[in-house]
Amino acid sequence: MDTLIANGTLVTATDTRRANLLIRGERVAAVTSDEPPADCVIDATGRLVLPGAIDVHTHLDMLLGRLVTADDFASGTMAALCGGTTTIIDFAGQERGSSLHDALERWREKADRRAVADYGAHVMITDVNDRVEREMDSLVASGIPSFKVFMAYPGRLMLDDRGIFRVLRRARDNGALVMVHAENGLVIDELVSRALAEGRGEPGAHALTRPPLTEGEAVQRAIALAELAGAPIYLVHLSTGEAMDAVERARRRGQAVYGETCPQYLLLTDQEYERPACEAARYVMSPPLRPAIAHSRLWAGLASGDLQVVATDHCPFQAGEKWPVADFSAIPNGAPGIETRVPLVYHAGVRTGRLSVTRFVELISTAPAKLFGLFPRKGTLAVGSDADVVVFDPDREVTLSARTHHMRVDYSLYEGWTVRGAIDTVLLRGRVVVEGGEFVGRPGGGQFVARAPLGAV
Ligand code: URP
Ligand code: ZN
Ligand code: ZN
C-alpha cells in the first residue's frame, strides 16, 4: 500500500523543504516534488512533516520503591503516539544479585504484545560482577547497546564508583553507551535524615535535600570516571547550571560527554513546591525542580549542542499515590510527561526563537536515534527509513490537561497550559496510528527494535 503525505514542509535535523513524502509499506519510498499515485493521500498543507519523535527515557510498568508506575506498555506507548513519539527506549532493571538477561526477559514479558509504539530497552545495572560484565557483551551483541547506572538511591539502585568504573570500562570495550543518573546519593541521604529529624517532612523539603551541587558534584565525578575508563558517557535528566558547567568543560576538552534534559527542568521551577502539600507532592521527582535561573543554562546547552537530547523521564504515579505528604522521603519520585514533550518543546523552544525547527527535530528525534543506535532506520525522513511520521500543525493551540491526555495518570504537570503547535496525524511504519488526536492503531502494534552500538552508527 502506498501513502502520500502531500504539500507539507518536511523537516529533518539538517533542512526544511516543501516536498511530498511517498510511503510504500513500512518505509519511506521517495521525497519528491512530484505527485506519485497513492492508495491514500494525507494533505499536509500548512503542516510540518517530522520524523517520529524518540523518547529514550521512560519508566513503564516499573516497580520503583513500593509502587509500580501507572502507565503500562499499552497505555504509555499509546500516550506517546498521541504526543508524536513513535519509539521509546525504556529501562529493564537488574535485581541485585541476579542476571541482566533475566531483567531483560522480565521486561519483555511486560512490553511484548502490549506496546503500540516501537520500543527498545536499556538495562539498569545495580550490581556488577564478572558474569554481569560478560552479560553486557552479549546484550550489546543482541541489540541492547546501552546501560544505566545510578549514583543516587543508596541501598536500592546506587552503584559505588568502583562499580560505575567497571561498567564504563566494559562499555569502552564493547561499544555500549552508559547512561548515568548523577546525584550524590550518600550526601542526599544525610540531608534527608537531617531534614526529617528537624521536622521538615513537607514535599518542598525534597528539593532542599537535593541542592544543585549534589547534581553538579556527581556529574563531575561521572565525567572523571568516564575519562579514567576511556568511555563515552550520557548524563540523564540534567537540571542545573552546576551540571552544565561540568559538561561544557569536558566537551571543550574533547571528551565524549553527552547530555539530556527534560521539559520539566526547562519549564517548571521549584516554586511548585510552594503549593499546598498534596499538590506539591506531584512535583516530587529526582532531580527536583530548580530555581528559574537554571532554565537559561539548559536552553543554551540545547541550542549550542552541549546537550543533545530532550527526553521525558516519564515515571507516572497517580496523585493519590504521591502521598503521604508529611514525609517527602516516602513519596514516589517521578512524574508524567511522555505525551507532552513534543508540543512543549516546539512551543517553548521554536516559537520563542530559542531553537531552530531543525534543531528541534534533532533534539527530539535525530540525536536520540544516533546516540542509541537507531539511525538512519529511525530519526529522519530519508528513502529507506521507517515511515514513522508526525504531521504537525505549528499554529493550532491546545490546552494541556489530565482531562484530555491519554497518560493513565490523574494529573498533568502543565494543567491548563495552552501551547501553540499540535499533533494532527501520526504514522508508525507506514500505518496511521493517531488521527484527530486519538489513537487509531492496532493493539500490540509496536515492534521491539534491536539497536546498534554507538560507534557503529
Ligand atoms: O524522579 C525520578 N526521576 N524518577 C524516576 C527514576 C529516575 O531517577 O530516573
Ligand atoms: Zn534518574
Ligand atoms: Zn528516569
Side-chain angles (χ1 to χ4, degrees), residues 57 59 148 237 313:
H57 191 152
H59 300 276
K148 182 176 180 193
H237 52 43
D313 194 10

Side-chain angles (χ1 to χ4, degrees), residues 260-324:
E260 161 200 291
T261 190
C262 310
Q264 56 270 30
Y265 300 117
L266 291 163
L267 300 171
L268 302 175
T269 72
D270 57 356
Q271 289 293 303
E272 304 293 352
Y273 299 122
E274 305 294 320
R275 292 169 178 262
C278 62
E279 286 180 29
R282 301 174 183 185
Y283 298 85
V284 169
M285 61 188 81
S286 293
L289 299 175
R290 304 296 188 182
I293 194 163
H295 292 178
S296 53
R297 293 296 303 279
L298 298 171
W299 282 112
L302 293 173
S304 71
D306 283 322
L307 296 178
Q308 293 73 35
V309 174
V310 181
T312 64
D313 194 10
H314 179 71
C315 188
F317 298 97
Q318 299 293 351
E321 291 178 341
K322 297 284 273 182
W323 301 330

Side-chain angles (χ1 to χ4, degrees), residues 239-253:
S239 68
T240 59
E242 284 77 354
M244 291 307 302
D245 288 341
V247 167
E248 288 165 12
R249 269 199 310 273
R251 289 179 60 84
R252 295 301 167 270
R253 289 200 320 270

Side-chain angles (χ1 to χ4, degrees), residues 182-185 187-188 191 207-221 239-243 245-246 249 287-288 290-291:
E183 288 185 296
N184 186 319
V187 170
I188 287 167
L191 293 174
L208 302 179
T209 61
R210 305 178 102 91
L213 197 51
T214 57
E215 179 179 270
E217 182 280 329
V219 167
Q220 288 178 49
R221 184 158 38 99
S239 68
T240 59
E242 284 77 354
D245 288 341
R249 269 199 310 273
R290 304 296 188 182

Side-chain angles (χ1 to χ4, degrees), residues 125 127-134 136 149 159-174 178 225 229 231:
I125 301 180
D127 190 9
V128 198
N129 52 44
D130 292 347
R131 187 187 63 165
V132 164
E133 287 195 29
R134 286 192 298 275
M136 286 176 67
V149 297
L159 272 190
D160 62 15
D161 290 355
R162 183 177 184 174
I164 294 170
F165 180 68
R166 284 187 73 167
V167 171
L168 285 161
R169 270 289 268 251
R170 197 69 175 205
R172 175 198 66 184
D173 295 336
N174 63 28
V178 179
L225 292 171

Side-chain angles (χ1 to χ4, degrees), residues 140 145 174-176 369-376 451-457:
V140 172
N174 63 28
K370 288 183 175 172
L371 285 168
F372 292 95
L374 291 167
F375 190 84
R451 298 177 290 116
L454 181 59
V457 174

